Amino acid sequence: MNNPLIWPVAVPLLSALLALLWPRRSTWIGLLGSALSLAAVVLVSRQVIESGAIELALGGWSPGLGIALRADGLSVLMLLMSTLVSMAVAVYASVYFSRSERRSEFWVLWLLLITALHALFLSGDLFNLYVTLELLGLSAVVLACLGGSRESLQAALNYLVLGLLASMAFLIGVALIYAGYGTLDMAALAAAIESGPTAWVALSLMTGGLLIKSALFPLHFWLPPAHSNAPAPVSAVLSALVVKAAVYLILRLWLALFDEVVTQTAALVLGLLGGVAVLWGSWVALQAERLKLMAAYSTVAQVGYLFLFLPLLAALPEGTTRDVALGALVLLALTHGFAKSAFFLAAGVIMQRAGHDRIAELGGTARALPVTAFTLALAGVALIGLPPSGSFLAKWQLLSSVFITGQWIWLPVIAVGTLLAGAYTFRLLGYAFAPGEGVGPSLSVGREEIPAVLLALAATLLLGFWASVVWELVPISAYAGGGG
Amino acid sequence: MTQALIYALTGAVLFMLGVRATLLRETLLPRLLALNVCGAGVFLIFVSLAYRGDSLPVDPVPHALVLTGLVVAISATALALALNRRLREMADE
């Protein structure tokens, strides 16, 4: 039992079953399950930080025949982010769903979603990745329609069909890899895959599927309706974590498995799509009339930034400079995870208090809900990339990679995208801090306001001041001979 | 051309037909059927991969994968149909 790798998956799974069997106590089981998952992730992280990447062969079957779980620096960072965000969101959800009839259904699905996320980040096998992707997609779809409105059902249905298509494309890529190399174990594949037609077609199909799931422009159209019509806690995890899981997989495939196959041109194409996503997403967010729709389009833009790194990473030679750029990418993803979940939770608080989330009618928010207004401002700081947020440091490194590689084309994209992010944030804050009666008077700081402000603080202060941890952890790879 | 290759190519064609219809159709039921055609294509490819010549037994790994894939496909189809029915009921109300 000295290998803790199974716990981040087993704890939420067992809690989900328990919540299913004991619906009357589901809230407590959900909170306890989330807290214990957090503890399990901390256990795994400590071991990875102390002794490098770790591996667990499930049931004692060695990889090749059996399935391996692996944790390295990158997966530990994603795990830590997802478990911290989901813990905070769980506290918020315990208030949000306290009187809802769908309470027990929410907690079962919620714990299953955490299980799927953790299994995805720890999976060391391509087919297992497909299974976790499907588990993640299915639980996300059902969570997204818990609101029960027509729009949310329609959006969830669209999300489901596109998600299935994406998984099929991924699966056919897996089949090609198995045909070409006779194994699905990612550590073995990392050494085996060479450039060739099989690898090319497989990579394109898998990447294509994952691009749908990560909502990269022009495949983003399903995201805004699905994310903005879901209940607030669900929107928060969909935008902060579920989209990131697909981006994480693209990183794994491009940088660890198919690093021999990826060409500068392919990376440039994704970078260009990312650039358009930054500009288009921010532009639509600026015009959005509803707070949650604005947040959803801002997610489209923020995902675009992550893809800007790919052509830079492909151009940089292996070494410290490349590791720094990769660390910046991860830092940006983590910061966005915290900031966007904080944003959606704050939007949920406003929506429950005011009964709507129309931006133009938000006057009086700052007086009625000072903590929530503060949360929106802090999250906005991280979305724009102002100091001391983690995204400030990440964008700084993004710019320095642009200078080093001489790919000047990204410079105007980053500049305009940042200005647009500033514009939509300050437009929102302008309304929220204006006097008005849009949001009723508040009596005290509610329990539901605390998780959001903590998440926003994590994005702006924690990741800003302790960003060095990210850069230390990212180079620990399970695919480069284990450790160091 | 070997038999396994014919199956694999048929699978690829089915997959592409399915993708096309999923993206182009407007109503849910044809899209869902198309998705299942897509899935059948993928599974056919997996099954044909398992063939290792007449003298060798078939490779069990792709078969195991197909079983898992089938379970996922059925559950997802059921979920989509349930959602669609709920939408219909809401439209009637």
Side-chain angles (χ1 to χ4, degrees), chain A residues 127 134 148 150 154 175 178-179, chain B residues 49 59 61 65 72 76 80 87 90:
Chain A
F127 188 75
E134 287 286 35
R150 233 189 113 68
Q154 192 64 56
Y178 189 78
Chain B
L49 281 182
D59 185 356
V61 173
L65 302 187
V72 171
L87 270 175
M90 287 175 112

Side-chain angles (χ1 to χ4, degrees), chain A residues 127 130-131 134 138 141-142 145 148-150 153-154 157-158 160-161 164-165 168-169 171-172 175 178-179 184, chain B residues 15 19 22-23 28 31 35 39 42-43 45-46 49 59 61-62 65 68 72 76 79-80 83-84 86-87 90-91:
Chain A
F127 188 75
Y130 160 75
V131 175
E134 287 286 35
L138 289 178
V141 164
V142 187
C145 56
S149 72
R150 233 189 113 68
L153 284 185
Q154 192 64 56
L157 195 55
N158 237 335
L160 174 63
V161 169
L164 282 178
L165 195 65
M168 291 290 175
L171 187 58
I172 211 166
Y178 189 78
L184 293 171
Chain B
F15 174 76
V19 171
T22 312
L23 292 179
L28 182 82
R31 289 180 85 188
L35 262 180
V42 178
F43 300 146
I45 294 177
F46 267 107
L49 281 182
D59 185 356
V61 173
L65 302 187
T68 316
V72 171
L79 175 60
L83 277 178
N84 194 41
R86 188 80 195 91
L87 270 175
M90 287 175 112

